[in-house]
Amino acid sequence: MPAPTPNRVHYHKGDRELELGYPDGQTYRLPIELLRVYSPSAEVQGHHPSEAVLQTGKRHVGLLDISQTGRYALKLHFDDGHDTGLYTWEYLYDMAIHRQAWWDDYLARLERAGASRDASVIQIHQV
């Protein structure tokens, strides 16, 4: 059975969440960070699961724009410059209904890599 198509998409800028509303009245909110680190782009996912690139330092990422691609997907334009990958309705719905599992997997992958959700900070010292 195909995933439902949202009839409402709203970006909550302050909360950095994308809200998807469906005709049956269900709504889901997805953190922009989660959408960014699981971008369906080849840059993030690779062309094979073994080529996936762990995204780090994305805690404060936001959106600059959202555009619909045909009748099947959204293209998200992130404020860190990433804007490749199409988020199909199926991909978004799967992420929405399994949000906690996706989030737990992301945090576990960061921990295994010794990486952080926060961007690296480089101290600048005056010479």
Side-chain angles (χ1 to χ4, degrees):
M1 185 166 151
T5 301
N7 60 355
R8 191 167 63 84
V9 176
H10 180 74
Y11 176 42
H12 295 271
K13 187 175 182 177
D15 294 332
R16 291 190 187 96
E17 291 184 330
L18 186 69
E19 182 177 345
L20 303 169
Y22 292 91
D24 66 359
Q26 289 279 43
T27 61
Y28 300 94
R29 288 176 68 149
L30 294 169
I32 301 306
E33 178 183 5
L34 188 66
L35 289 159
R36 174 62 180 86
V37 301
Y38 283 109
S39 169
S41 69
E43 175 186 335
V44 173
Q45 299 296 327
H47 296 288
H48 184 274
S50 66
E51 297 174 350
V53 177
L54 177 62
Q55 303 296 297
T56 63
K58 302 301 180 189
R59 181 189 301 264
H60 299 292
V61 72
L63 289 178
L64 296 175
D65 195 20
I66 303 168
S67 52
Q68 187 168 340
T69 302
R71 293 184 174 193
Y72 68 97
L74 294 178
K75 183 171 184 171
L76 304 179
H77 306 264
F78 296 92
D79 62 10
D80 68 353
H82 182 75
D83 66 357
T84 60
L86 296 177
Y87 293 78
T88 64
W89 302 137
E90 288 79 13
Y91 193 80
L92 288 168
Y93 189 69
D94 185 58
M95 185 182 284
I97 63 174
H98 299 108
R99 173 185 166 168
Q100 192 61 52
W102 288 53
W103 188 256
D104 292 344
D105 179 64
Y106 166 54
L107 295 179
R109 289 170 51 222
L110 284 173
E111 186 174 340
R112 282 192 304 272
S116 174
R117 294 175 56 209
D118 294 308
S120 296
V121 177
I122 298 172
Q123 296 293 327
I124 299 175
H125 300 279
Q126 188 171 355
V127 181

